[in-house]
Amino acid sequence: MKDVLFQALAKTGDGAFVTDEDQHIVFWNQAATQITGYPYERVSGLPCYEVLGGRDDQGRLFCFEHCRIATAALRDRAVKDYDISISNKSDKVHWINLSTLTFPVNGDTSQLLLHLFRDVTRRKQSEQLISQILRAAEDLQNGGSPRAPFPAENGQSVADLT
C-alpha cells in the first residue's frame, strides 16, 4: 500500500514528502526537489524540521521536533493548511502552503505523515505589500506621515512639504 502511495505522489505537480512518526523523511518527490532545490538523496532520513526550517509570518520558528502539526496529525486531529517561509538550497526565501494528512502503514499501528505543498511566494509577497499599503494609508488617515517618504519631483520628500 505504501508503494502505491509513493507512486501516486511521484506524479503530482505539488511538492510532496512523507515522514515517519519521528518526522524523518522517507519520501520526497521531484516537485519537492524543484521547489526547494534539495534532491531526495540529500534529505532522505533527515528530520523534516531540519530540512525546511519553516518560519511563520512573524519570523518565528514553526518547524521543530514534535511540532504542533505533527502532534495533531498523529493524534488523528484535522490539520488546517498553513503557510511557512523556507530557505531553499540557494538560500532564497520561499513561502509554501502545506497540507498534512496521516496515512496508516500496512498491518501496523504506526502512521506516516503526508505533506503536500505548493510555492505561494508571489501570493505572500502581494499580501505583505497590500498590508504595508493599508498601514501607510491608515497612518495618513490618522494624521501621521507615510512610513517611508515618497520623493517629490523637485527632490524634496513629501514629508518636507507643508
Side-chain angles (χ1 to χ4, degrees), residues 85-152:
S85 67
I86 63 168
S87 293
N88 66 8
K89 185 177 179 181
S90 61
D91 286 332
K92 183 177 178 188
V93 173
H94 282 281
W95 282 92
I96 58 174
N97 174 267
L98 286 101
S99 297
T100 303
L101 309 158
T102 56
F103 190 82
V105 179
N106 284 349
D108 198 346
T109 58
S110 63
Q111 299 181 64
L112 297 175
L113 293 174
L114 163 61
H115 307 272
L116 294 171
F117 65 98
R118 63 230 38 95
D119 191 325
V120 294
T121 303
R122 284 197 169 154
R123 176 180 57 85
K124 288 299 280 190
Q125 289 171 337
S126 295
E127 288 173 2
Q128 290 169 342
L129 178 60
I130 289 168
S131 180
Q132 289 173 352
I133 291 169
L134 291 174
R135 279 195 308 272
E138 188 176 295
D139 287 349
L140 287 171
Q141 239 178 355
N142 292 331
S145 61
R147 293 176 193 263
F150 301 102

Side-chain angles (χ1 to χ4, degrees), residues 4 31 53 58-59 64 77 83 101 117 119 139 151 154 156 161:
V4 173
Q58 307 303 312
F64 49 87
R77 294 190 184 134
D83 294 341
L101 309 158
F117 65 98
D119 191 325
D139 287 349
N154 64 2
Q156 289 182 308
L161 300 176

Side-chain angles (χ1 to χ4, degrees), residues 21-23 49 62-72 74:
E21 290 180 339
D22 293 324
Q23 296 173 272
Y49 51 89
F62 190 88
C63 295
F64 49 87
E65 188 175 13
H66 306 298
C67 70
R68 66 181 180 85
I69 300 299
T71 301
L74 289 170

